[in-house]
Amino acid sequence: MATVRRTLWTLAVGALPWLAMLGCGLGGGDPSGRLRVVCTTGQVGDMLRRIGGEHLAVEVLMGPGVDPHLYKPTPGDRRRLNAADIVFYSGLHLEGRLAALLERLPSRKPVFAVTEVLVKEHKDRLRATEGGEATYDPHVWFDVSLWACCVDYAAARLIEVDPANAADYRRNADRYRAELEALHREVKQQLAQIPKERRVLVSAHDAFAYFGRAYDVEVRSLQGISTADEADLGSVNRLVDLLATRKIKAVFVESSVPPRNVQALVQGCAARGHLVKVGGELYSDALGPPNTPEATYVGVVRYNVKTIVEALR
């Protein structure tokens, strides 16, 4: 995957002189003349909308409830990517099945992973995973302060491609980063309401490790970092033991993961004489439905925290 990242960076840097010479080609794919930006996930798309404002027409490939680990690109995705002026994706292997398609994009198209800056400047804050090369847990947006580090990087890449609107991109990025920094403090305050011994988050897959580290929450899960990993009987039994022994009252399902494994925990606890409920559905790898607060990254963070606090407090 390191080869993919190097290739994508080479494509992006190589595109800049071409774009500078062509100039008027920017925004050619959008009738309004705005720069046409295609993003893989809702989190990335929301970030680019906040930074780009009126200058961007942003499209997102993966909608609400979509699991990026298992996502298969469609013919429509290929058309959107080919028509884009610039492409942003999350990175760190999150969009595994899209990597080959991203790599095959024409050499004139700038392509950027917003988490590239984390590998370059904040590697000590990334959670390493097992693998033959340096790989990291991609769910960095669950630490709001870590996701905020990606904002300036995304803005800088936009400015490289569209310097005419640099002032607006910088101003919007400053405003959004400040909002995320305030949100990070808010999340800490909210979760501190839960007594330490009850501050245990049990969910379907290993998406919340950054959340746990940032906000002092013990995190347990049935599946691995990718939802392609299977939950075995041993994992179910170990979590049932933990829930029953420590009298934990709630577990959580995820919007982009089938609930069957979490329901197996509820049934297992019932067999042990311990009543545990599903505390709610959390947004993990995707944002919420359009025209709701949860259609934005900030809205999803607030919704998740409220759901967790109400179930565990």
Side-chain angles (χ1 to χ4, degrees), residues 284-309:
S284 55
D285 292 340
L287 300 186
N291 303 316
T292 68
E294 293 75 41
T296 68
Y297 170 72
V298 170
V300 157
V301 171
R302 287 200 170 109
Y303 171 88
N304 280 352
V305 170
K306 179 182 178 183
T307 301
I308 292 167
V309 170

PDB file of all heavy atoms in Angstrom, residues 284-309:
ATOM      1  N   SER A 284     -20.119   4.587  12.866  1.00  0.00           N
ATOM      2  CA  SER A 284     -18.696   4.261  12.925  1.00  0.00           C
ATOM      3  C   SER A 284     -17.979   4.681  11.651  1.00  0.00           C
ATOM      4  O   SER A 284     -17.254   5.669  11.622  1.00  0.00           O
ATOM      5  CB  SER A 284     -18.501   2.767  13.207  1.00  0.00           C
ATOM      6  OG  SER A 284     -19.192   1.957  12.268  1.00  0.00           O
ATOM      7  N   ASP A 285     -18.200   3.968  10.551  1.00  0.00           N
ATOM      8  CA  ASP A 285     -17.449   4.232   9.324  1.00  0.00           C
ATOM      9  C   ASP A 285     -18.195   5.101   8.314  1.00  0.00           C
ATOM     10  O   ASP A 285     -17.686   5.359   7.223  1.00  0.00           O
ATOM     11  CB  ASP A 285     -17.079   2.904   8.644  1.00  0.00           C
ATOM     12  CG  ASP A 285     -16.059   2.118   9.450  1.00  0.00           C
ATOM     13  OD1 ASP A 285     -15.386   2.736  10.293  1.00  0.00           O
ATOM     14  OD2 ASP A 285     -15.937   0.902   9.247  1.00  0.00           O
ATOM     15  N   ALA A 286     -19.409   5.523   8.647  1.00  0.00           N
ATOM     16  CA  ALA A 286     -20.197   6.337   7.717  1.00  0.00           C
ATOM     17  C   ALA A 286     -20.967   7.398   8.501  1.00  0.00           C
ATOM     18  O   ALA A 286     -21.187   7.260   9.709  1.00  0.00           O
ATOM     19  CB  ALA A 286     -21.170   5.457   6.930  1.00  0.00           C
ATOM     20  N   LEU A 287     -21.365   8.443   7.805  1.00  0.00           N
ATOM     21  CA  LEU A 287     -22.196   9.478   8.409  1.00  0.00           C
ATOM     22  C   LEU A 287     -23.667   9.082   8.316  1.00  0.00           C
ATOM     23  O   LEU A 287     -24.017   8.025   7.813  1.00  0.00           O
ATOM     24  CB  LEU A 287     -21.957  10.821   7.716  1.00  0.00           C
ATOM     25  CG  LEU A 287     -20.530  11.381   7.767  1.00  0.00           C
ATOM     26  CD1 LEU A 287     -20.493  12.787   7.159  1.00  0.00           C
ATOM     27  CD2 LEU A 287     -19.976  11.394   9.178  1.00  0.00           C
ATOM     28  N   GLY A 288     -24.541   9.973   8.802  1.00  0.00           N
ATOM     29  CA  GLY A 288     -25.967   9.679   8.846  1.00  0.00           C
ATOM     30  C   GLY A 288     -26.711  10.122   7.599  1.00  0.00           C
ATOM     31  O   GLY A 288     -26.119  10.589   6.620  1.00  0.00           O
ATOM     32  N   PRO A 289     -28.047   9.984   7.619  1.00  0.00           N
ATOM     33  CA  PRO A 289     -28.881  10.309   6.449  1.00  0.00           C
ATOM     34  C   PRO A 289     -28.806  11.789   6.090  1.00  0.00           C
ATOM     35  O   PRO A 289     -28.556  12.640   6.953  1.00  0.00           O
ATOM     36  CB  PRO A 289     -30.295   9.924   6.904  1.00  0.00           C
ATOM     37  CG  PRO A 289     -30.105   9.026   8.075  1.00  0.00           C
ATOM     38  CD  PRO A 289     -28.847   9.456   8.743  1.00  0.00           C
ATOM     39  N   PRO A 290     -29.058  12.111   4.822  1.00  0.00           N
ATOM     40  CA  PRO A 290     -29.064  13.519   4.408  1.00  0.00           C
ATOM     41  C   PRO A 290     -30.105  14.331   5.177  1.00  0.00           C
ATOM     42  O   PRO A 290     -31.115  13.802   5.652  1.00  0.00           O
ATOM     43  CB  PRO A 290     -29.429  13.448   2.919  1.00  0.00           C
ATOM     44  CG  PRO A 290     -29.086  12.061   2.490  1.00  0.00           C
ATOM     45  CD  PRO A 290     -29.315  11.184   3.695  1.00  0.00           C
ATOM     46  N   ASN A 291     -29.852  15.607   5.323  1.00  0.00           N
ATOM     47  CA  ASN A 291     -30.775  16.563   5.950  1.00  0.00           C
ATOM     48  C   ASN A 291     -31.042  16.255   7.418  1.00  0.00           C
ATOM     49  O   ASN A 291     -32.106  16.564   7.949  1.00  0.00           O
ATOM     50  CB  ASN A 291     -32.096  16.617   5.174  1.00  0.00           C
ATOM     51  CG  ASN A 291     -31.898  16.979   3.717  1.00  0.00           C
ATOM     52  OD1 ASN A 291     -31.138  17.890   3.397  1.00  0.00           O
ATOM     53  ND2 ASN A 291     -32.558  16.258   2.828  1.00  0.00           N
ATOM     54  N   THR A 292     -30.071  15.611   8.075  1.00  0.00           N
ATOM     55  CA  THR A 292     -30.128  15.404   9.527  1.00  0.00           C
ATOM     56  C   THR A 292     -28.830  15.953  10.121  1.00  0.00           C
ATOM     57  O   THR A 292     -27.825  16.088   9.409  1.00  0.00           O
ATOM     58  CB  THR A 292     -30.256  13.919   9.890  1.00  0.00           C
ATOM     59  OG1 THR A 292     -29.029  13.238   9.540  1.00  0.00           O
ATOM     60  CG2 THR A 292     -31.430  13.278   9.159  1.00  0.00           C
ATOM     61  N   PRO A 293     -28.817  16.256  11.430  1.00  0.00           N
ATOM     62  CA  PRO A 293     -27.553  16.690  12.033  1.00  0.00           C
ATOM     63  C   PRO A 293     -26.435  15.666  11.854  1.00  0.00           C
ATOM     64  O   PRO A 293     -25.261  16.025  11.746  1.00  0.00           O
ATOM     65  CB  PRO A 293     -27.924  16.862  13.514  1.00  0.00           C
ATOM     66  CG  PRO A 293     -29.389  17.129  13.507  1.00  0.00           C
ATOM     67  CD  PRO A 293     -29.943  16.304  12.389  1.00  0.00           C
ATOM     68  N   GLU A 294     -26.820  14.378  11.799  1.00  0.00           N
ATOM     69  CA  GLU A 294     -25.825  13.315  11.686  1.00  0.00           C
ATOM     70  C   GLU A 294     -25.270  13.164  10.270  1.00  0.00           C
ATOM     71  O   GLU A 294     -24.424  12.304  10.021  1.00  0.00           O
ATOM     72  CB  GLU A 294     -26.415  11.984  12.150  1.00  0.00           C
ATOM     73  CG  GLU A 294     -26.737  11.933  13.626  1.00  0.00           C
ATOM     74  CD  GLU A 294     -28.003  12.719  13.977  1.00  0.00           C
ATOM     75  OE1 GLU A 294     -28.997  12.653  13.210  1.00  0.00           O
ATOM     76  OE2 GLU A 294     -27.971  13.431  15.010  1.00  0.00           O
ATOM     77  N   ALA A 295     -25.717  13.991   9.347  1.00  0.00           N
ATOM     78  CA  ALA A 295     -25.137  13.999   8.003  1.00  0.00           C
ATOM     79  C   ALA A 295     -23.798  14.724   7.977  1.00  0.00           C
ATOM     80  O   ALA A 295     -23.127  14.746   6.945  1.00  0.00           O
ATOM     81  CB  ALA A 295     -26.096  14.653   7.011  1.00  0.00           C
ATOM     82  N   THR A 296     -23.415  15.325   9.109  1.00  0.00           N
ATOM     83  CA  THR A 296     -22.130  16.010   9.223  1.00  0.00           C
ATOM     84  C   THR A 296     -21.254  15.279  10.236  1.00  0.00           C
ATOM     85  O   THR A 296     -21.747  14.574  11.134  1.00  0.00           O
ATOM     86  CB  THR A 296     -22.304  17.457   9.685  1.00  0.00           C
ATOM     87  OG1 THR A 296     -22.768  17.459  11.051  1.00  0.00           O
ATOM     88  CG2 THR A 296     -23.314  18.186   8.816  1.00  0.00           C
ATOM     89  N   TYR A 297     -19.962  15.481  10.107  1.00  0.00           N
ATOM     90  CA  TYR A 297     -19.020  14.863  11.049  1.00  0.00           C
ATOM     91  C   TYR A 297     -19.266  15.342  12.474  1.00  0.00           C
ATOM     92  O   TYR A 297     -19.344  14.539  13.410  1.00  0.00           O
ATOM     93  CB  TYR A 297     -17.587  15.178  10.614  1.00  0.00           C
ATOM     94  CG  TYR A 297     -16.547  14.791  11.633  1.00  0.00           C
ATOM     95  CD1 TYR A 297     -16.231  13.450  11.866  1.00  0.00           C
ATOM     96  CD2 TYR A 297     -15.876  15.763  12.366  1.00  0.00           C
ATOM     97  CE1 TYR A 297     -15.279  13.100  12.811  1.00  0.00           C
ATOM     98  CE2 TYR A 297     -14.918  15.419  13.304  1.00  0.00           C
ATOM     99  CZ  TYR A 297     -14.624  14.087  13.524  1.00  0.00           C
ATOM    100  OH  TYR A 297     -13.679  13.732  14.468  1.00  0.00           O
ATOM    101  N   VAL A 298     -19.415  16.641  12.660  1.00  0.00           N
ATOM    102  CA  VAL A 298     -19.656  17.179  14.001  1.00  0.00           C
ATOM    103  C   VAL A 298     -20.948  16.609  14.575  1.00  0.00           C
ATOM    104  O   VAL A 298     -21.013  16.228  15.761  1.00  0.00           O
ATOM    105  CB  VAL A 298     -19.702  18.720  13.962  1.00  0.00           C
ATOM    106  CG1 VAL A 298     -20.196  19.289  15.298  1.00  0.00           C
ATOM    107  CG2 VAL A 298     -18.316  19.279  13.625  1.00  0.00           C
ATOM    108  N   GLY A 299     -21.992  16.521  13.761  1.00  0.00           N
ATOM    109  CA  GLY A 299     -23.259  15.964  14.230  1.00  0.00           C
ATOM    110  C   GLY A 299     -23.143  14.516  14.642  1.00  0.00           C
ATOM    111  O   GLY A 299     -23.744  14.084  15.638  1.00  0.00           O
ATOM    112  N   VAL A 300     -22.365  13.739  13.900  1.00  0.00           N
ATOM    113  CA  VAL A 300     -22.168  12.324  14.243  1.00  0.00           C
ATOM    114  C   VAL A 300     -21.416  12.186  15.556  1.00  0.00           C
ATOM    115  O   VAL A 300     -21.764  11.358  16.407  1.00  0.00           O
ATOM    116  CB  VAL A 300     -21.425  11.606  13.099  1.00  0.00           C
ATOM    117  CG1 VAL A 300     -20.706  10.361  13.600  1.00  0.00           C
ATOM    118  CG2 VAL A 300     -22.402  11.212  11.996  1.00  0.00           C
ATOM    119  N   VAL A 301     -20.391  12.998  15.752  1.00  0.00           N
ATOM    120  CA  VAL A 301     -19.635  12.927  17.012  1.00  0.00           C
ATOM    121  C   VAL A 301     -20.559  13.218  18.185  1.00  0.00           C
ATOM    122  O   VAL A 301     -20.572  12.490  19.195  1.00  0.00           O
ATOM    123  CB  VAL A 301     -18.451  13.902  16.986  1.00  0.00           C
ATOM    124  CG1 VAL A 301     -17.800  13.986  18.373  1.00  0.00           C
ATOM    125  CG2 VAL A 301     -17.411  13.465  15.954  1.00  0.00           C
ATOM    126  N   ARG A 302     -21.337  14.259  18.075  1.00  0.00           N
ATOM    127  CA  ARG A 302     -22.244  14.625  19.183  1.00  0.00           C
ATOM    128  C   ARG A 302     -23.302  13.540  19.410  1.00  0.00           C
ATOM    129  O   ARG A 302     -23.621  13.207  20.552  1.00  0.00           O
ATOM    130  CB  ARG A 302     -22.918  15.969  18.880  1.00  0.00           C
ATOM    131  CG  ARG A 302     -21.967  17.152  19.024  1.00  0.00           C
ATOM    132  CD  ARG A 302     -22.738  18.456  19.217  1.00  0.00           C
ATOM    133  NE  ARG A 302     -21.830  19.520  19.593  1.00  0.00           N
ATOM    134  CZ  ARG A 302     -21.495  20.547  18.793  1.00  0.00           C
ATOM    135  NH1 ARG A 302     -22.031  20.642  17.593  1.00  0.00           N
ATOM    136  NH2 ARG A 302     -20.661  21.472  19.211  1.00  0.00           N
ATOM    137  N   TYR A 303     -23.841  12.996  18.336  1.00  0.00           N
ATOM    138  CA  TYR A 303     -24.838  11.934  18.470  1.00  0.00           C
ATOM    139  C   TYR A 303     -24.237  10.717  19.166  1.00  0.00           C
ATOM    140  O   TYR A 303     -24.842  10.148  20.087  1.00  0.00           O
ATOM    141  CB  TYR A 303     -25.368  11.539  17.095  1.00  0.00           C
ATOM    142  CG  TYR A 303     -26.250  10.301  17.129  1.00  0.00           C
ATOM    143  CD1 TYR A 303     -27.618  10.405  17.355  1.00  0.00           C
ATOM    144  CD2 TYR A 303     -25.695   9.039  16.972  1.00  0.00           C
ATOM    145  CE1 TYR A 303     -28.414   9.273  17.415  1.00  0.00           C
ATOM    146  CE2 TYR A 303     -26.485   7.897  17.037  1.00  0.00           C
ATOM    147  CZ  TYR A 303     -27.834   8.022  17.251  1.00  0.00           C
ATOM    148  OH  TYR A 303     -28.619   6.888  17.326  1.00  0.00           O
ATOM    149  N   ASN A 304     -23.063  10.282  18.731  1.00  0.00           N
ATOM    150  CA  ASN A 304     -22.425   9.108  19.340  1.00  0.00           C
ATOM    151  C   ASN A 304     -22.176   9.319  20.811  1.00  0.00           C
ATOM    152  O   ASN A 304     -22.451   8.446  21.653  1.00  0.00           O
ATOM    153  CB  ASN A 304     -21.105   8.804  18.637  1.00  0.00           C
ATOM    154  CG  ASN A 304     -21.285   8.051  17.325  1.00  0.00           C
ATOM    155  OD1 ASN A 304     -22.378   7.608  16.987  1.00  0.00           O
ATOM    156  ND2 ASN A 304     -20.210   7.916  16.572  1.00  0.00           N
ATOM    157  N   VAL A 305     -21.636  10.475  21.167  1.00  0.00           N
ATOM    158  CA  VAL A 305     -21.307  10.746  22.568  1.00  0.00           C
ATOM    159  C   VAL A 305     -22.574  10.779  23.417  1.00  0.00           C
ATOM    160  O   VAL A 305     -22.612  10.211  24.521  1.00  0.00           O
ATOM    161  CB  VAL A 305     -20.503  12.058  22.691  1.00  0.00           C
ATOM    162  CG1 VAL A 305     -20.363  12.475  24.146  1.00  0.00           C
ATOM    163  CG2 VAL A 305     -19.132  11.883  22.050  1.00  0.00           C
ATOM    164  N   LYS A 306     -23.609  11.436  22.927  1.00  0.00           N
ATOM    165  CA  LYS A 306     -24.864  11.473  23.671  1.00  0.00           C
ATOM    166  C   LYS A 306     -25.419  10.067  23.870  1.00  0.00           C
ATOM    167  O   LYS A 306     -25.884   9.728  24.987  1.00  0.00           O
ATOM    168  CB  LYS A 306     -25.888  12.333  22.923  1.00  0.00           C
ATOM    169  CG  LYS A 306     -27.251  12.418  23.617  1.00  0.00           C
ATOM    170  CD  LYS A 306     -28.229  13.251  22.794  1.00  0.00           C
ATOM    171  CE  LYS A 306     -29.595  13.277  23.492  1.00  0.00           C
ATOM    172  NZ  LYS A 306     -30.601  14.024  22.682  1.00  0.00           N
ATOM    173  N   THR A 307     -25.374   9.238  22.839  1.00  0.00           N
ATOM    174  CA  THR A 307     -25.869   7.863  22.927  1.00  0.00           C
ATOM    175  C   THR A 307     -25.090   7.060  23.957  1.00  0.00           C
ATOM    176  O   THR A 307     -25.665   6.331  24.775  1.00  0.00           O
ATOM    177  CB  THR A 307     -25.780   7.179  21.550  1.00  0.00           C
ATOM    178  OG1 THR A 307     -26.568   7.927  20.613  1.00  0.00           O
ATOM    179  CG2 THR A 307     -26.308   5.750  21.617  1.00  0.00           C
ATOM    180  N   ILE A 308     -23.784   7.185  23.944  1.00  0.00           N
ATOM    181  CA  ILE A 308     -22.932   6.445  24.879  1.00  0.00           C
ATOM    182  C   ILE A 308     -23.169   6.911  26.316  1.00  0.00           C
ATOM    183  O   ILE A 308     -23.337   6.092  27.234  1.00  0.00           O
ATOM    184  CB  ILE A 308     -21.448   6.613  24.485  1.00  0.00           C
ATOM    185  CG1 ILE A 308     -21.170   5.913  23.160  1.00  0.00           C
ATOM    186  CG2 ILE A 308     -20.529   6.068  25.575  1.00  0.00           C
ATOM    187  CD1 ILE A 308     -19.846   6.280  22.532  1.00  0.00           C
ATOM    188  N   VAL A 309     -23.211   8.232  26.515  1.00  0.00           N
ATOM    189  CA  VAL A 309     -23.400   8.762  27.874  1.00  0.00           C
ATOM    190  C   VAL A 309     -24.749   8.345  28.440  1.00  0.00           C
ATOM    191  O   VAL A 309     -24.845   7.896  29.600  1.00  0.00           O
ATOM    192  CB  VAL A 309     -23.262  10.296  27.862  1.00  0.00           C
ATOM    193  CG1 VAL A 309     -23.700  10.882  29.206  1.00  0.00           C
ATOM    194  CG2 VAL A 309     -21.815  10.706  27.557  1.00  0.00           C
TER     195      VAL A 309
END
